[in-house]
Amino acid sequence: MWYLCVFYHRLLDYRKPEFESLAELFGAFGDKRSFDPHPRDRALRWRLPKDHHPDSPFHFVHLPSEEIARNIANRSLLVKGIYELWGEGNDYEELEEAVKSYPDERKLPYLSPESTFKITVDSFGKVLSLQEQNEQIQGFSYIPFKGRVNLKNPDHNFWLMETDAHETNNGLPPVVQRRIFFGREVGVADRKLIPMYQLKTRNYLGPTAMDAEIAFLMANQAQAAPGKLVYDPFVGTGSILVSAAHFGAMTMGADIDIRVVRDGHGPDCNVWSNFKQYGLPMPICLLRADNNLPPWRPGLKEVFDAIICDPPYGVRAGGRKTGGRKLLKGIVGPYTIPDDKRADHIPSTAAYTLFECVHDLLDLAARMLLVATSEQMLSSRYSRVLLTMVKTSSYTEEVALAARIKHLEFKENHLKWLENGNLHSSVFSPADAESGDSKESKESKPKYRGKYV
Amino acid sequence: MRLLTHNMLSSNIKGVANGFPLRIEVEKVVEKEVEINHDFLRNIFPKIDWKALSDASRIMGYHELPEEPPEPSVLEADIEFLRKFHHALLELHLEEGALLCPESGRKFPVNKGIPNMLLLEDEV
């Protein structure tokens, strides 16, 4: 059945991928456990309201059941609400026509005398005064509401939504045209989630702790759920695992920096206390390990349901890997740590370039896991992209070898550029340097931005 | 460090042929309750090296696991067995101690429940 989905007008690229990921999690595409070699075929059908631009918050989506719609709405960060549409139109006369012709068997069950209801008025692109809102509500006398009104906790919540073309975005044409919708609420978002988990009040933070909203989006892309095991190879303060744990997944994390995972800032301010703060189950384990030389036993594979992480890009924080810089470059010959110093020796680490990090990550994923891209604007000059990859076939020696070869080719072409710290400087250098790298500069075609990006 | 973790780790020092399973040196074991999830246990069971788990649990002071791995059908039907599996896998913690490479004897310390698996420069 077709439903009206209203998104929050922000993080536009993330909306549909999150929605589709949750749709899959809640069974919209059939049996969850079936191994689908073509995940791209699992896509929902979407339609836009008349004269609306794809960036509009209003979309029609086809879902197999109301229960799935409600589950998606409740868990999503970006869906404001999902509604069964009773009517729409360009003006109130058209709306009335539409609602009157909507089948009775879809309406009457929700208008019964034993039920309670309320009507909420919402507008996008214009402001409606309280008086105007009340007038609109009174205008619905043609709908045979038999139940009592309950403004606090009604059985059924009906929404009147007006959209209009007053919103301007960077001088671009408006995202919506005038359209009026009336529908029955099927599910709404739990926006209490973000205030509860926001970093402002987080017990233990690090410089690259993941923003709560994005962490939840990542957990939704990863379909974190009870019974699943989720791994973060760059766990840091655990900000990403916290969101996965909130949705019931078992979590595991590793970091090369032992001070972050083991010590934190003290006995009450560390990764564990972050989980305690929210009453979440602790991670199954945290370990100090190098993602470049992971400590997994050979033959171990397909253990994690998801790997969710924010790898060190070398921009705000650089990655490290085992093996001193001088050692790896051959400036210093291989050396042995004297026996009496071995216990407390802190191994030197070398710069862990982004491509090597990504290669190791992909190898980890290919091996250990039983794909949407969305862009987050981080500043006016650069942004980062959330990549979701879905594993489609098993890990074999051939796959590993092919990947290694491709990686070495890529390394030859890009090594010099990345090693010279150019990623960091191209992000932070003064704004004249737009020439040169297509890697960093964004498209010149203007894009619509959500209000709070 | 729980035994689920121990079951996944090995000593990957250069020159070591088989670094699994790591021998456990116990200094402090703590039991922490974890909510049981039967689906999780059934999903993870095929990935577990049973002998390593069974031996490790004995070293940690828990003797209820059979030495031979159970038939998968046991996991479906026997809730009591699942309880024991859950306890060994997730509720026994090595807070302080070490993991030893079975070939070289090299110690990977475990402090505050966190194993330090970082290799030294000459082990790489």
Side-chain angles (χ1 to χ4, degrees):
Chain A
M1 188 173 141
W2 286 95
Y3 293 91
L4 173 65
C5 170
V6 182
F7 289 107
Y8 284 104
H9 196 50
R10 52 185 285 109
L11 295 172
L12 305 185
D13 283 345
Y14 289 75
R15 300 175 305 173
K16 285 195 184 168
E18 188 202 28
F19 197 102
E20 304 245 355
S21 178
L22 291 179
E24 184 179 39
L25 176 64
F26 290 119
F29 304 118
D31 177 17
K32 291 169 242 185
R33 289 257 157 223
S34 67
F35 190 48
D36 192 333
H38 300 290
R40 296 216 135 246
D41 293 343
R42 304 188 134 204
L44 297 172
R45 281 184 287 158
W46 295 89
R47 263 189 321 124
L48 273 173
K50 193 156 97 68
D51 298 330
H52 276 220
H53 182 279
D55 284 355
S56 159
F58 295 85
H59 291 260
F60 293 115
V61 65
H62 190 273
L63 291 169
S65 78
E66 187 163 310
E67 194 189 340
I68 291 177
R70 187 169 333 120
N71 287 334
I72 295 173
N74 288 342
R75 177 151 161 176
S76 161
L77 273 295
L78 297 175
V79 171
K80 190 170 168 184
I82 301 183
Y83 312 90
E84 180 194 358
L85 199 71
W86 283 19
E88 57 171 317
N90 281 332
D91 55 46
Y92 282 91
E93 287 73 40
E94 273 185 36
L95 179 69
E96 184 172 333
E97 280 273 339
V99 174
K100 279 178 173 165
S101 34
Y102 193 63
D104 275 345
E105 66 265 20
R106 291 301 318 160
K107 294 188 298 206
L108 293 178
Y110 306 100
L111 302 173
S112 69
E114 301 85 51
S115 66
T116 57
F117 75 97
K118 80 172 201 180
I119 302 181
T120 309
V121 181
D122 199 9
S123 57
F124 183 87
K126 70 188 284 186
V127 173
L128 288 174
S129 72
L130 213 48
Q131 193 196 8
E132 280 173 308
Q133 290 184 36
N134 279 327
E135 276 170 22
Q136 306 307 355
I137 294 178
Q138 298 312 321
F140 282 110
S141 50
Y142 59 87
I143 301 181
F145 289 105
K146 295 211 175 62
R148 282 179 306 110
V149 171
N150 180 332
L151 293 181
K152 281 231 169 103
N153 197 18
D155 296 322
H156 306 298
N157 202 345
F158 297 93
W159 287 72
L160 170 66
M161 293 168 277
E162 257 201 64
T163 74
D164 216 325
H166 292 296
E167 179 102 338
T168 51
N169 294 285
N170 313 322
L172 294 159
V175 153
V176 301
Q177 296 296 329
R178 185 172 198 231
R179 197 97 181 124
I180 312 176
F181 304 97
F182 181 79
R184 178 180 63 86
E185 175 191 296
V186 158
V188 288
D190 174 16
R191 282 304 268 192
K192 287 204 287 305
L193 202 59
I194 294 182
M196 178 168 150
Y197 282 92
Q198 63 188 345
L199 292 185
K200 271 204 306 225
T201 49
R202 182 73 55 87
N203 191 280
Y204 174 50
L205 285 177
T208 54
M210 183 58 70
D211 171 68
E213 184 176 30
I214 303 288
F216 282 117
L217 283 171
M218 291 168 91
N220 279 342
Q221 288 291 131
Q223 299 174 353
K228 294 194 182 178
L229 180 57
V230 159
Y231 176 63
D232 183 347
F234 310 104
V235 69
T237 56
S239 47
I240 297 177
L241 291 186
V242 162
S243 61
H246 171 81
F247 290 127
M250 314 272 263
T251 57
M252 251 179 81
D255 206 291
I256 201 169
D257 186 349
I258 196 158
R259 293 163 302 170
V260 174
V261 284
R262 184 189 63 195
D263 307 326
H265 289 144
D268 294 316
C269 185
N270 49 45
V271 181
W272 311 105
S273 61
N274 276 343
F275 285 79
K276 206 158 143 190
Q277 180 183 357
Y278 304 115
L280 294 170
M282 298 286 163
I284 296 193
C285 86
L286 294 175
L287 51 128
R288 181 194 200 183
D290 180 352
N291 196 46
N292 185 238
L293 292 165
W296 313 121
R297 64 171 155 93
L300 181 72
K301 55 179 189 160
E302 282 145 25
V303 162
F304 301 124
D305 291 285
I307 298 172
I308 326 185
C309 60
D310 180 22
Y313 308 103
V315 177
R316 285 184 295 163
R320 307 298 296 169
K321 65 172 184 180
T322 315
R325 178 176 51 88
K326 289 181 181 162
L327 182 67
L328 289 173
K329 283 194 165 157
I331 297 171
V332 166
Y335 52 88
T336 315
I337 323 295
D339 280 343
D340 55 336
K341 296 208 159 67
R342 282 183 99 82
D344 296 318
H345 179 73
I346 298 173
S348 3
T349 53
Y352 189 32
T353 55
L354 181 60
F355 67 81
E356 196 164 2
C357 174
V358 171
H359 170 267
D360 293 339
L361 204 50
L362 289 175
D363 192 58
L364 177 76
R367 181 180 157 191
M368 298 295 250
L369 281 182
L370 302 159
V371 176
T373 101
S374 327
E375 188 185 325
Q376 177 199 18
M377 309 304 291
L378 283 173
S379 74
S380 59
R381 283 211 51 230
Y382 77 109
S383 61
R384 59 185 174 183
V385 172
L386 171 62
L387 295 172
T388 307
M389 290 175 249
V390 173
K391 183 169 169 182
T392 55
S393 64
S394 311
Y395 188 73
T396 60
E397 284 302 316
E398 294 82 32
V399 167
L401 188 61
R404 182 108 196 109
I405 292 172
K406 279 230 124 66
H407 162 74
L408 289 170
E409 277 171 20
F410 179 78
K411 182 173 173 172
E412 271 180 43
N413 295 331
H414 295 270
L415 172 57
K416 277 211 112 33
W417 188 85
L418 277 172
E419 256 196 6
N420 293 336
N422 280 318
L423 189 60
H424 180 277
S425 54
S426 81
V427 165
F428 285 116
S429 64
D432 54 70
E434 281 297 345
S435 61
D437 276 314
S438 54
K439 256 198 195 65
E440 265 53 61
S441 60
K442 293 293 131 193
E443 320 85 277
S444 47
K445 184 180 76 153
K447 286 167 75 164
Y448 294 113
R449 303 285 177 231
K451 260 163 78 176
Y452 308 107
V453 157
Chain B
M1 184 207 68
R2 293 169 160 95
L3 294 186
L4 171 57
T5 315
H6 170 259
N7 209 266
M8 295 166 63
L9 298 176
S10 78
S11 158
N12 291 336
I13 299 173
K14 183 173 71 177
V16 165
N18 184 13
F20 177 82
L22 294 158
R23 284 203 301 275
I24 300 181
E25 199 176 84
V26 173
E27 259 171 69
K28 183 168 162 209
V29 172
V30 169
E31 290 195 16
K32 291 189 198 170
E33 209 180 299
V34 171
E35 199 179 316
I36 190 170
N37 184 312
H38 294 139
D39 285 328
F40 176 76
L41 294 170
R42 290 177 185 130
N43 290 339
I44 204 88
F45 174 75
K47 321 286 176 189
I48 300 287
D49 179 309
W50 187 263
K51 181 156 196 322
L53 176 68
S54 171
D55 290 345
S57 65
R58 259 166 261 285
I59 297 187
M60 303 274 274
Y62 186 64
H63 302 277
E64 303 290 317
L65 282 189
E67 283 194 31
E68 288 303 310
E71 292 300 314
S73 56
V74 174
L75 288 165
E76 294 300 319
D78 191 346
I79 300 295
E80 186 47 39
F81 175 80
L82 276 178
R83 248 260 101 240
K84 292 181 184 164
F85 179 38
H86 172 80
H87 188 75
L89 200 65
L90 296 173
E91 293 185 327
L92 299 172
H93 278 262
L94 183 67
E95 275 291 303
E96 301 289 329
L99 301 173
L100 278 72
C101 172
E103 276 185 22
S104 67
R106 198 284 217 195
K107 283 196 193 186
F108 294 95
V110 177
N111 301 118
K112 297 190 193 167
I114 297 186
N116 182 346
M117 303 307 297
L118 217 61
L119 299 174
L120 301 181
E121 296 89 321
D122 51 8
E123 294 170 326
V124 160

